[in-house]
């Protein structure tokens, strides 16, 4: 391209012929009747044209030809855009000037007849040029924009598009080209948008950006005036509406970074609020979006709060907001999508306004109508749409929790309404049918697409309701509890009204009577939490009297509850749960009442109906739940129960003999007695310890039995121990490999006998009984307490007697998954092993049908070959996972487990020798199990315990994850339309779980600064590996200086950079970035690790950067590459050698990039931009950029607030979006 020649037309020689060829190629592409071959040839030709030096000139010729079709003009614009994006650095100043002139000419020529995609493309090209030259050699851009603004309405819209895109790319999108300019563009944008008087008054000492501003008004003022013009008339035509929406959209893009006082001086807030009164939904929606962005800013000074937030609490504004909310009354049977979207956005805007109020109530101007705002907030919370309601619900939690405003008269006046609404909203919406006529369900179906999101959303909604009930009771306990328990009495007296009597034959876990009771009991449980907090805050004689009155009334009500009799097992379970909540909550001082609950649980019975499968399963669940509640009571009241131990023992053993059908259940009943004797500190410890020793001895004798050791000495003996000695012969004789559907084949008598034999063999093992007793010995105990010390003494002498056979149990159970061990099966039946041992489980969002339907189908296959296979895998799984659990419980004993010097190597061998044969799901369980064992390792034991464990673990994880991802990739490449996508989705989902579990283990081990989480006030440092954080002496320094561990960990991390799981890869890039600087020195480990990272890790980053799959992670990879280059290029040439080996990587280009990197060491945004610019030709391209899929419509995407309500942990939404820094410097992972 020759810039000067192109401008005066001399370069146009040959133009008609070339233009004709381009037009013909475009015609072939857009002609439906063209053959694929011709269309591909035409596409290749047009691609080649883009690389021509004169392509932008030809593009200008096509784009400016008004007589050409729009698609031709758009192609012409794309030629200009390509030149700007990819060849700008090659152009001379004259050529760059020519390009700018062409774009300005095209902008001045825009007309109403131009389709939007033409004007949008012109705006994009303008911004691309601005990012490269504005403020450098293009100083009159603002003047040109003002002249355009003075033209037609369509030109105003073009200017707004330019300004909006410029604002978003400079401040919001972390754009690579903009970032390379540092803070220059940020300052320039502030200069032209802000009124001159605001800049001079607020920053009198600032350096004015030379010659880039035109006029004193600034663009914020001009947009405010345009907005006023758009809504001036009562009837707003389509042109004014579109113009107003565009203006508001541009204001929204700048409102998060503009100097707040400029919004006041330009009356922008008043203009936006005036749009709310317009009966124009698009305009109102744009106004609400702008207000949401304004009040999502993280910082307001007191003056800014008064001027920008205070007006929202004035009578006039409150009246306007109430009118708008009342107008947005949506009929659930005929949902107006536009108005409904506006209603949801309105609710989110109210949330942001209220959050600012909660944070800075002292800033609220005098005379504000807070009562009116709270009335509006309550109305929004009561909305039938839960999605509209939840932001208001969330805000009420924050307001009621606030010490500054939570007890204000305006809020206290609404307490009863809040309690009533939340009580009604605590019904289990997820249990209601999808086709329910309930308006909330209809709206929910409209808002939520997937089952996981539905459950997460409803879980968050119920949690907020629970918190409000708890807070209300904490503020007004007596009145609130009187009201809540009165409601509960009404429900209990009429629970079966309108419903048929209970029948076991038609049993369901989601019956209407159960849902009624569950909702009411949920309210009571939340109330009990609030009551307990109120009780613990008491101190003066008056409140002590209130305490006695309240606890007396609660006990009377709970006595009545225990006297009720229900036939439904799940309702009985609910009653027990609530009664135990009373006993360990507000009535915890009354041990006699606790024993009454204890006794009531022991006496809970359900008649047997063996033919009713669902009912029988529910009865089994009730029995297991009751045992757990007995254990809870025993842990809370051991000192009282030990005083009546003989009576308790007699009752427990009587019930055990009556209802326990297996050894495991009897062991759990016995564990209740063990807990009492173990934790009763009021009794002398020596006789207690002797009795506990006697209790443990029979179990220890089982572990020491020589016959057990022999049975664990080989795979065949182990099979015989589990009752599986005839399994392979049975499978071969039935030719099960030739039966596609095992569920369709009933189990014969021999199979049933084998099934029963397996169950009996499993019951005879000491594993589950030991797990039960060991768990109650160590869980929920304070370190250093008498029971904990006693547990250490009890198990210190017994752990060495258990461990040898326990490790054999784990080793042999994992050997089951290695097909070569099934030697009695011929080769053609080896696949049967995988089929038998692959766990069946329900996956949210992937499995067909609901969870209950899945479990029902599993129950229906119990007497079939599929049920037989299920019994086999359940037996092996029970042995394996019980072994894991025993190791975890032992780890809670600290040095009494870790101090055995000979343990680590055999433990690693048992856990990981056959680990790769496990399925990804089973491997993920192994990873989750080993994590707390690693965490619980005392610092002084790390050097001998962790190296064998972690090195073996990560070698197997690397091998397993790499093989499975390779298998997924191979299957994806060979996929056909006939493949079972459901199974593929399941497999990939499970593999992602394994990958994520492995990656989070790496994060846990190598996170730079992780200290113990602070316990809640009054809560001791309990022995619980699932909650325990790493000590201040984290494992990170130990691992980084231990090559035996570090090598497999870094190798796994390197391979994880290529695993197609973007979330996991993102975590790995952060971890690797954190350790890169640690190997810039000259220690004995540093050089080798530095060389590996400089080659293999760098190669993996570049490869993933090139892969379109990882396009969303390009900034993460770029930041890691920048860290490697900055940290290592002064010490080694390897990174430069790797980069120079890339095609067309010029040494001078790399050297220039390195110089810029070292200058930008404190600016991560610039670092990323420099690397991405350096590797521009190697970066993958997103699918929507390739034209294969449209880019997602931002307006149809959920807001960050709503997206948060769809996730399990919603607390992250409490973090306000940070306002962009005017210097444009932001932390990558902030």
């Amino acid at each position: 391209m020759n810039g000067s020649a192109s401008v005066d037309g001399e370069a146009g020689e040959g133009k008609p012929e070339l233009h004709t060829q381009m037009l013909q190629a475009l015609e072939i592409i857009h002609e439906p009747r063209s053959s694929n071959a011709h269309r591909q040839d035409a596409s290749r030709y047009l691609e080649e044209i883009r690389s021509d030096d004169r392509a932008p000139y030809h593009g200008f010729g096509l784009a400016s030809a008004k007589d050409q079709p729009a698609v031709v003009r758009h192609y012409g614009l794309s030629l200009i855009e390509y030149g700007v994006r990819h060849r700008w650095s090659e152009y001379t100043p004259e050529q760059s000037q020519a390009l700018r002139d062409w774009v300005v000419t095209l902008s001045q020529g825009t007309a109403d007849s131009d389709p939007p995609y033409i004007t949008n493309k012109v705006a994009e090209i303008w911004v691309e040029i601005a990012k490269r030259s504005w403020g450098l050699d293009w100083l009159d851009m603002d003047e040109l924009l003002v002249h355009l603004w003075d033209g037609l309405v369509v030109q105003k819209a073009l200017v707004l598009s330019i300004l909006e895109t410029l604002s978003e790319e400079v401040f919001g999108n972390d754009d690579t080209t903009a970032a390379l300019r540092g803070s220059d563009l940020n300052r320039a944008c502030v200069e032209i948008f802000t009124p001159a008087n605001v800049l001079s008054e607020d920053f009198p000492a600032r350096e004015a950006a030379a010659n880039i501003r035109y006029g004193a008004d600034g663009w914020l003022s001009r947009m405010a005036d345009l907005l006023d013009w758009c809504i001036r008339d009562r009837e707003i035509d389509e042109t004014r509406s579109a113009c107003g929406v565009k203006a508001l959209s541009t204001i929204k893009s700048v409102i998060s970074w503009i100097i707040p006082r400029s919004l006041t001086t330009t009356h922008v807030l008043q203009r936006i609020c005036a749009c709310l009164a317009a009966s124009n939904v698009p305009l109102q929606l744009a106004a609400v979006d702008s207000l949401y962005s304004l009040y999502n800013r993280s910082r307001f000074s007191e003056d800014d709060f008064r001027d920008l937030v205070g007006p929202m609490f004035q009578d006039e504004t409150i009246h306007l907001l109430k009118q708008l909310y009342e107008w947005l009354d949506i009929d659930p049977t005929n949902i107006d999508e536009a108005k409904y979207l506006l209603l949801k956005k309105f609710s989110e805007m109210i949330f942001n306004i209220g959050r600012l109020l909660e944070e800075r109530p002292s800033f609220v101007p005098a005379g504000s109508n807070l009562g009116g705002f709270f009335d509006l907030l309550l109305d929004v919370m009561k909305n039938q749409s839960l999605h509209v309601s939840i932001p208001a619900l969330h805000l009420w939690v924050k307001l009621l929790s606030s010490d500054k405003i939570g007890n204000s008269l305006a809020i206290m006046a609404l307490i009863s309404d809040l309690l009533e609404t939340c009580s009604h909203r605590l019904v289990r919406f997820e249990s209601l049918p999808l086709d329910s006529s309930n308006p909330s369900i209809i709206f929910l179906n409209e808002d939520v697409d997937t089952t996981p999101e539905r459950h997460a959303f409803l879980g968050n909604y119920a949690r907020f309701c629970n918190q409000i009930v708890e807070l209300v009771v904490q503020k007004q306990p007596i009145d609130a509890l009187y009201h809540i328990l009165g409601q509960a009495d009404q429900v209990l007296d009429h629970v079966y009204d309108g419903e048929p009597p209970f029948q076991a034959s038609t049993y369901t876990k989601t019956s209407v009577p159960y849902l009624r009771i569950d909702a009411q009991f949920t309210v009571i449980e939340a109330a009990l939490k609030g009551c307990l907090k109120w009780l613990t805050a008491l101190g003066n004689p008056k409140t002590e009297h209130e305490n006695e009155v309240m606890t007396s009334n609660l006990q009377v009500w709970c006595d009545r509850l225990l006297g009720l009799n229900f036939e439904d097992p799940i309702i009985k379970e609910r009653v027990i749960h609530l009664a135990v909540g009373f006993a360990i909550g507000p009535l915890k001082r009354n041990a006699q009442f606790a024993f009454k609950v204890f006794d009531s649980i022991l006496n809970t019975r359900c008649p047997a109906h063996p033919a009713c499968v669902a009912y029988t399963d529910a009865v089994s669940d009730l029995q297991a739940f009751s045992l757990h509640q007995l254990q809870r009571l025993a842990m809370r009241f051991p000192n009282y129960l030990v005083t009546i131990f003989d009576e308790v023992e007699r009752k427990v053993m009587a019930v055990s003999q009556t209802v326990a059908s297996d050894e495991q259940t009897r062991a759990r009943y016995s564990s209740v007695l063990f807990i009492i004797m173990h934790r009763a500190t009021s009794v002398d410890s020596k006789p207690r310890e002797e009795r506990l020793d006697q209790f443990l001895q029979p179990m220890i004798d089982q572990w020491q039995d020589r016959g057990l050791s022999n049975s664990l000495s080989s795979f065949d003996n182990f099979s015989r121990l589990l009752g599986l000695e005839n399994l392979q012969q049975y499978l071969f004789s039935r030719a099960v490999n030739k039966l596609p559907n095992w569920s369709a084949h009933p189990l014969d008598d021999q199979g049933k006998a084998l099934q029963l034999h397996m169950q009996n063999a499993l019951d005879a093992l000491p594993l589950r009984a030991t797990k039960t007793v060991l768990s109650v010995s160590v869980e929920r105990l304070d370190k250093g307490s008498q029971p904990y010390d006693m547990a250490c003494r009890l198990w210190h002498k017994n752990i060495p007697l258990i461990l040898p056979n326990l490790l054999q149990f784990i080793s042999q159970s994992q050997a089951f998954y290695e097909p070569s061990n099934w030697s009695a099966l011929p080769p053609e039946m080896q696949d049967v092993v995988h089929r038998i041992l692959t766990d069946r489980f329900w996956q949210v969002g992937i499995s067909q049908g609901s969870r209950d339907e899945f479990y029902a189908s599993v129950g229906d296959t119990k007497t079939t070959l599929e049920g037989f296979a299920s019994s086999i895998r359940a037996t092996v799984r029970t042995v394996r996972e019980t072994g894991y659990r025993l190791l975890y419980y032992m780890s809670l004993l600290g040095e009494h487990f870790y101090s055995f010097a000979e343990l680590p190597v055999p433990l690693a061998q048992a856990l990981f020798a056959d680990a790769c044969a496990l399925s990804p799901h089973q491997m993920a369980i192994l990873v989750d199990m080993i994590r707390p064992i690693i965490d619980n390792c005392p610092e002084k034991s790390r050097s001998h315990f962790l190296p064998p464990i972690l090195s073996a673990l990560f070698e197997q994880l690397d091998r397993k994850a790499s093989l499975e991802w390779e298998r997924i990739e191979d299957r994806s490449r060979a996929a056909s339309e006939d493949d079972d996508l459901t199974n593929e989705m399941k497999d990939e989902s499970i593999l992602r779980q394994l990958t994520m579990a492995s990656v989070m283990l790496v994060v846990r081990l190598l996170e730079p600064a992780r200290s113990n989480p602070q316990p809640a006030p009054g809560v001791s440092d309990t022995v619980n590996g699932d909650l325990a954080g790493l000590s201040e002496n984290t494992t990170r320094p130990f691992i980084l200086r231990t090559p035996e561990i570090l090598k497999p960990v870094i190798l796994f991390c390197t391979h994880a950079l290529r695993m197609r799981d973007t979330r996991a890869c993102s975590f790995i890039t952060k971890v690797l970035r954190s350790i890169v600087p640690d190997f810039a020195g000259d220690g004995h480990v540093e050089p080798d690790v530095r060389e590996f990272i400089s080659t293999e890790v760098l190669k993996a980053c570049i490869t993933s950067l090139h892969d379109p799959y990882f396009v969303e992670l390009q900034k993460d990879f770029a930041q890691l590459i920048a860290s490697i280059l900055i940290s290592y290029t002064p010490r080694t040439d390897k990174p430069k050698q790797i980069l120079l080996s890339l095609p067309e990587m010029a040494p001078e280009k790399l050297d220039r990039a390195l110089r810029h990197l070292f200058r930008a060491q404190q600016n991560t945004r610039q670092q990323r931009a420099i690397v991405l610019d350096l590797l521009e030709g190697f970066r993958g391209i997103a699918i929507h950029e390739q034209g294969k899929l449209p880019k997602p419509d931002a307006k149809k995407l959920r807001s960050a607030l709503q997206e948060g309500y769809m996730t399990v942990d919603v607390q992250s939404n409490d973090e306000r979006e940070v306002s962009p820094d005017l210097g444009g410097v932001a932390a990558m992972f902030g």
Side-chain angles (χ1 to χ4, degrees), residues 416-432:
S416 60
D417 280 340
L418 286 169
L419 187 60
E420 189 73 20
T421 303
C422 289
S423 297
H424 288 134
R425 291 285 171 90
L426 276 170
V427 66
R428 288 184 183 269
F429 287 103
E430 59 269 33
S431 295
L432 299 179

Side-chain angles (χ1 to χ4, degrees), residues 72 119 705 723 823 1033 1099 1121:
V72 173
T119 52
D705 182 76
S823 55
N1033 299 309
K1099 287 178 184 177
I1121 292 171

